[in-house]
Amino acid sequence: MYRKRNVPGSAESLPAFLDQELSNIEQAQYGPFPFVRLEVVHIPPGRLFDGLVVLADGADWNPGSGAGVYCYRAGAWRFLG
């Protein structure tokens, strides 16, 4: 997870600070994580593709089996639990 740091007060420290921040952002974006956090969605995603995983609220948007985690595969939503 990326957490921003405070910008240094001196202009001389800025290049090294920016280089380190960009490296931290890259690692946070592409590094391995021990978990996945899904946000509850209330409407179907606009762009569908095989392997898309969502957490449906089950009320505003119910892909078939109520609230829960679904995977989009072969043109249909598959309830995972």
Side-chain angles (χ1 to χ4, degrees):
M1 181 195 309
Y2 171 74
R3 293 181 195 260
K4 76 175 193 75
R5 298 179 304 150
N6 293 327
V7 177
S10 70
E12 304 84 44
S13 302
L14 195 55
F17 169 81
L18 290 175
D19 185 57
Q20 185 60 54
E21 278 302 276
L22 291 173
S23 178
N24 292 345
I25 292 168
E26 181 180 44
Q27 287 177 353
Q29 185 174 4
Y30 297 110
F33 293 98
F35 58 88
V36 174
R37 180 174 180 250
L38 300 174
E39 297 285 335
V40 176
V41 292
H42 302 275
I43 59 173
R47 183 174 160 257
L48 301 177
F49 53 88
D50 275 1
L52 177 63
V53 177
V54 297
L55 176 56
D57 74 334
D60 297 326
W61 177 51
N62 181 355
S65 297
V69 178
Y70 290 81
C71 179
Y72 188 80
R73 185 168 166 262
W77 287 106
R78 314 296 174 147
F79 183 65
L80 301 179

